[in-house]
Amino acid sequence: HSSGFVAAPSGVPLGDAPAQPPTGRAYRLSPDFHRHDRYWLYIPVVNHTAESHWVLHLSNFGFRDSGILLRGAGEQRLLGFDDTGHGGNAHINTLGRAVDLTLQPGGAYSLVVELNADHATWQPYLGLMSGQEYQAWVTAMDLTFKLAVGVILGLILLGVICAVLTREAAFGWGSLSALLMLAYYLEHSSLPAVLWQASYEKGWPFWLLMSSALLSQLLFAASFLGVRRDGGRWYRAFLGAALVTVGVWALANLVPFEQRIGLYAFNYLVLAVVILGSGVAKVRAEGSYYVIYLLGWFPLVLSILQVALVVHGASPGG
């Protein structure tokens, strides 16, 4: 059971957290990192099972330096989610990280989970599972992720084959766009942490990847619709969107993270207006075949709107 997230007192490390949650502070169902950069979640646990091997999972949706304070059976232990990689005590999985906990049958324990972030995040997801249940859950998550990666690999291969056979530029741009999407997927996965002990911080290579992916999508859309230099206003619209994308990438390195997300949300809004607007014009001029083109872009448009709403939207109530 837990009563919710409470802002950690300033200057008090997790190892010195009081046995009871700090009084006089508001509890929240989700941490609001606009107001505080550190939250504690108190979780009293009683093990009514015969299982002693447990795993606590924390999804990595923007947190940093998270940790656990475990008290019970006359001991106190500090566990970190960041001690990872070869020989580390944390598991890296598709959605985040997890640590092993020994909870003796019949034992009563107190867990304090600390979350840190310097910008808005998605809703935190924590799961306390038996070791066997954790392995089954991780396997299911891995299969889902590998299926998604397989679909993108299929799109890349299909685009390359069609480009070679038909000599049409649209398939080449489509294949490049899918390749950059795959790079974006893998950058978000556990692969960099497993292979190179990489953190989840988003440096300049990530923003270059974002801008390159946006440009490739724009070029794919223009090529698919057959937009040419003599295409009048739609050619100017696509060219303007490309210039905005380059300008956003140049500005992104000069502003903080949340403003950077806002810039890229604006960038994608410009692309969405140009791509969807040109698609609507094509449907009106040449028929319903291009409805497929419009439907294909909606998931990407909705995904970037979700990012913008999470980072810049109002925080959920307590």
Side-chain angles (χ1 to χ4, degrees):
H1 302 276
S2 175
S3 55
F5 291 96
V6 60
S10 179
V12 180
L14 177 60
D16 295 334
Q20 299 298 323
T23 58
R25 290 173 176 261
Y27 294 94
R28 304 180 65 84
L29 296 179
S30 60
D32 181 3
F33 290 108
H34 287 296
R35 300 174 61 185
H36 305 281
D37 63 353
R38 205 162 59 104
Y39 280 85
W40 288 343
L41 181 73
Y42 279 77
I43 313 172
V45 176
V46 180
N47 186 4
H48 294 295
T49 76
E51 177 68 51
S52 61
H53 177 209
W54 295 80
V55 181
L56 182 67
H57 162 85
L58 171 64
S59 292
N60 183 65
F61 297 148
F63 313 115
R64 56 174 173 79
D65 302 329
S66 301
I68 305 170
L69 175 63
L70 172 63
R71 290 187 176 121
E75 66 167 347
Q76 174 171 311
R77 293 178 62 200
L78 272 174
L79 301 169
F81 287 96
D82 56 342
D83 185 12
T84 57
H86 310 292
N89 65 2
H91 306 282
I92 303 176
N93 57 58
T94 298
L95 291 183
R97 302 188 177 194
V99 292
D100 291 308
L101 300 177
T102 300
L103 305 176
Q104 297 298 335
Y109 298 86
S110 172
L111 298 176
V112 185
V113 180
E114 179 174 285
L115 297 185
N116 296 270
D118 53 13
H119 55 76
T121 68
W122 271 256
Q123 290 277 7
Y125 171 68
L126 293 96
L128 180 60
M129 304 170 239
S130 68
Q132 185 177 1
E133 184 181 4
Y134 173 76
Q135 289 303 323
W137 179 79
V138 163
T139 300
M141 292 298 101
D142 283 347
L143 285 174
T144 303
F145 181 76
K146 288 171 183 174
L147 175 63
V149 170
V151 169
I152 300 176
L153 283 171
L155 289 172
I156 296 169
L157 181 61
L158 186 63
V160 170
I161 292 173
C162 290
V164 170
L165 293 177
T166 66
R167 308 289 183 181
E168 290 191 21
F171 289 113
W173 289 120
S175 186
L176 177 61
S177 177
L179 180 63
L180 291 171
M181 185 186 296
L182 177 63
Y184 178 83
Y185 242 88
L186 295 180
E187 192 279 338
H188 272 60
S189 75
S190 56
L191 203 60
V194 171
L195 295 181
W196 305 295
Q197 311 299 297
S199 70
Y200 295 97
E201 296 296 325
K202 304 303 181 189
W204 69 264
F206 171 76
W207 303 107
L208 179 60
L209 173 62
M210 279 279 290
S211 296
S212 301
L214 292 176
L215 278 175
S216 70
Q217 292 169 16
L218 195 65
L219 289 166
F220 170 53
S223 181
F224 186 88
L225 295 180
V227 176
R228 302 284 183 264
R229 280 184 180 274
D230 56 356
R233 61 174 183 169
W234 286 117
Y235 173 77
R236 292 192 296 272
F238 274 92
L239 180 61
L243 292 174
V244 167
T245 302
V246 174
V248 164
W249 175 75
L251 284 174
N253 298 294
L254 306 175
V255 297
F257 179 84
E258 293 191 18
Q259 283 71 33
R260 206 172 295 171
I261 290 291
L263 278 174
Y264 275 92
F266 168 73
N267 191 175
Y268 210 94
L269 178 63
V270 171
L271 260 70
V273 169
V274 170
I275 290 174
L276 297 181
S278 61
V280 170
K282 203 75 171 177
V283 169
R284 295 179 64 183
E286 300 188 27
S288 58
Y289 168 78
Y290 289 94
V291 170
I292 299 173
Y293 165 88
L294 287 172
L295 292 176
W297 286 107
F298 271 112
L300 289 172
V301 173
L302 292 176
S303 69
I304 200 69
L305 288 176
Q306 182 202 23
V307 171
L309 288 174
V310 166
V311 175
H312 290 282
S315 178

